[in-house]
């Protein structure tokens, strides 16, 4: 007991000395790696920073989330693989990236599922089908904490894209996702699979005529500089599920699990409001920089992609109608203004 009291006395004296010299003492925090592909100025980075701050707050500084943006550690597919292997602890990416390990998640990129942000939030938070699919991911080494926001996918191309006819003969970059590829091909494009860090140069060199992504991604990765025609088709709603490695999740106490979940959900609410509230400003900034922004008649695009639903049924069976039914119920309950 005397030795323990002596040790406590020495520790208290060291802390007091540190404070006297302006040094803030801290116990060594467990460092967790967070990999994503967004640039430091993008919404994913802003939400990741808030998440890291809240984790530190809710765990009394016992955990430090260290963020690696702009593909410093891995592109999106590799980040998910590293998540499964324990090389990274967190990543945030589109559902289609996780679909490599659970193919049914490709269906979340079916075209024109929802028309508004609010409908999309309802789908990802409360759809029985979506929840059921996310519940299958822990056995793949992936645990979904919350769904962050990217927005609706639209085009940036090197030429005007007023209708599907303008896509014929042109090459478009896609990531490895059946729905996106089928949708692009139904519109008329030839598809080229390409990691997102290579897209800017691929457009610049003429390998592809453009790409499709949410406005926030178009802005943060500066695709409008090399593909200045921005066409707001909003053909796919593209949120960003935030995942923690299941191996990491299993090390947390119940109290810590609650803390990480709370931090993730608060960052999700921030992400959603940030992205929705930034679209008009980002488009105006890109126009000022020389981009041309158009809102086409989406009717011909909707008609062009009708074949995708039947194509999906041939591969994914009843799951197609389950997610379509959930989406329709939400659209009926929350109609666009």
């Amino acid at each position: 007991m005397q030795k323990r009291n002596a040790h406590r006395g020495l520790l208290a004296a060291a802390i007091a000395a540190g404070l006297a010299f302006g040094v803030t003492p801290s116990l060594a925090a467990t460092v967790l790696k967070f990999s994503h592909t967004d640039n430091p100025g993008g919404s994913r980075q802003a939400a990741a920073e808030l998440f890291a701050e809240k984790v530190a707050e809710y765990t009394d500084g016992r955990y430090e989330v260290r963020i690696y943006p702009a593909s410093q550690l891995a592109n999106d597919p590799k980040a998910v693989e590293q998540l499964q292997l324990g090389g990274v602890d967190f990543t945030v990416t589109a559902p289609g990236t996780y679909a490599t390990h659970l193919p049914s998640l490709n269906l979340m990129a079916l075209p024109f599922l929802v028309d508004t942000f609010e409908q999309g939030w309802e789908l990802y938070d409360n759809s029985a089908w979506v929840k059921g699919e996310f519940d299958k991911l822990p056995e793949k080494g992936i645990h979904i904490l919350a769904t962050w926001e990217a927005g609706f996918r639209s085009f940036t191309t090197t030429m005007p894209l007023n209708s599907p006819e303008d896509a014929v003969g042109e090459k478009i970059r896609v990531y490895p996702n059946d729905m996106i590829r089928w949708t692009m091909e139904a519109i008329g494009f030839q598809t080229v699979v390409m990691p997102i860090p290579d897209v800017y140069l691929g457009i610049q060199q003429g390998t592809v005529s453009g790409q499709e992504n949410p406005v926030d991604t178009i802005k943060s990765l500066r695709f409008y500089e090399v593909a200045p025609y921005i066409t707001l088709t909003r053909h796919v709603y593209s949120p960003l599920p935030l995942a923690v490695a299941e191996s990491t999740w299993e090390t947390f106490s119940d109290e810590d699990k609650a803390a990480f979940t709370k931090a993730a959900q608060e960052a999700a609410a921030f992400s959603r409001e940030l992205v929705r509230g930034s679209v008009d400003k980002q488009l105006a900034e890109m126009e000022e920089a020389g981009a041309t922004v158009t809102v086409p008649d989406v009717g011909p695009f909707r008609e062009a992609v009708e074949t995708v639903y039947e194509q999906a049924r041939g591969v994914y069976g009843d799951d197609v109608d389950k997610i379509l039914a959930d989406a329709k119920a939400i659209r009926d309950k929350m109609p666009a203004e």
Side-chain angles (χ1 to χ4, degrees):
M1 180 65 72
Q2 288 180 340
K3 287 183 178 180
R4 185 180 300 172
N5 287 338
H7 175 73
R8 287 176 178 171
L10 289 170
L11 178 61
I15 291 173
L19 291 172
F21 286 97
V23 178
T24 302
S26 63
L27 299 175
T30 299
V31 175
L32 302 174
K33 294 180 181 179
F34 188 150
S35 173
H36 68 82
T37 57
D38 197 17
N39 278 345
S43 67
R44 264 177 275 188
Q45 176 67 10
E49 289 172 356
L50 178 65
F51 175 66
E53 176 187 320
K54 292 298 183 181
V55 164
E57 177 184 345
Y58 297 148
T59 65
D60 298 320
R62 289 181 290 105
Y63 289 94
E64 176 192 346
V65 176
R66 194 167 293 171
I67 306 163
Y68 297 86
S71 306
Q72 289 179 30
L73 297 183
N75 62 25
D76 285 318
K78 291 295 183 183
V80 174
E81 290 179 10
Q82 285 298 307
L83 197 79
Q84 295 174 301
L85 297 170
V88 301
D89 300 286
F90 300 97
T91 196
V92 61
T93 183
T97 311
Y98 301 110
T100 301
H101 311 284
L102 183 63
S104 57
L105 295 183
N106 277 321
L107 296 176
M108 295 181 181
L110 277 166
F112 299 108
L113 276 178
V114 295
D115 301 317
T116 68
F117 282 100
E118 290 80 6
Q119 291 173 2
W121 300 342
E122 182 72 11
L123 180 68
Y124 276 81
D125 290 348
N126 295 313
S127 160
W129 185 85
V130 171
K131 285 183 176 180
E133 298 312 293
F134 281 171
D135 286 346
K136 297 174 184 176
L137 284 172
E139 66 186 36
K140 308 291 185 181
I142 301 162
H143 187 101
I144 302 298
L145 285 173
T147 301
W148 292 6
E149 187 61 77
F152 287 86
R153 303 180 79 90
S154 289
F155 291 100
T156 45
T157 54
T158 57
M159 75 293 173
L161 182 64
N162 298 314
S163 71
E165 285 75 16
D166 294 327
V168 176
E170 301 290 345
K171 293 181 179 178
I172 194 86
R173 175 266 174 179
V174 296
Y175 66 97
N177 177 276
D178 285 348
M179 297 305 113
I180 296 294
R181 179 169 57 84
W182 294 345
T183 297
M184 295 302 101
E185 291 171 353
I187 289 171
F189 285 107
Q190 299 175 40
T191 56
V192 178
V193 175
M194 185 181 295
I196 201 164
D198 300 339
V199 174
Y200 188 103
L201 186 61
I203 298 172
Q204 195 173 44
Q205 294 180 337
T207 305
V208 291
S209 300
Q211 61 86 51
E212 50 82 53
N213 254 303
V215 168
D216 183 75
T217 304
I218 292 168
K219 177 69 164 56
S220 72
L221 297 182
R222 310 178 75 88
F223 291 142
Y224 63 93
E225 293 180 343
V226 289
Y229 291 94
I230 301 172
T231 307
L232 300 177
T233 48
R234 293 163 55 94
H235 50 273
V236 169
Y237 177 62
S238 186
L240 299 168
L242 168 68
V244 58
E246 181 67 16
S247 58
T248 301
W249 180 252
E250 289 174 349
T251 68
F252 296 156
S253 66
D254 289 345
E255 181 182 4
D256 286 340
K257 287 178 179 178
F260 277 91
T261 301
K262 182 179 180 182
Q265 290 174 344
E266 290 184 7
F270 168 81
S271 170
R272 287 172 169 180
E273 292 302 329
L274 176 62
V275 171
R276 181 177 64 171
S278 300
V279 170
D280 290 343
K281 179 184 177 185
Q282 290 172 330
L283 290 171
E285 289 173 349
M286 289 188 284
E287 281 188 302
E288 289 174 8
T292 299
V293 178
T294 60
V295 180
D297 176 4
V298 296
F301 289 94
R302 286 181 181 270
E303 292 173 10
V305 302
E306 282 291 327
T307 58
V308 175
Y309 306 116
E310 197 57 40
Q311 199 169 2
R313 287 187 184 98
V315 176
Y316 299 98
D318 292 344
D319 279 333
V320 176
D321 292 305
K322 289 177 183 177
I323 190 171
L324 288 177
D326 282 359
K328 183 181 185 303
I330 289 166
R331 293 197 308 272
D332 290 345
K333 181 176 71 172
M334 305 172 63
E337 296 181 359

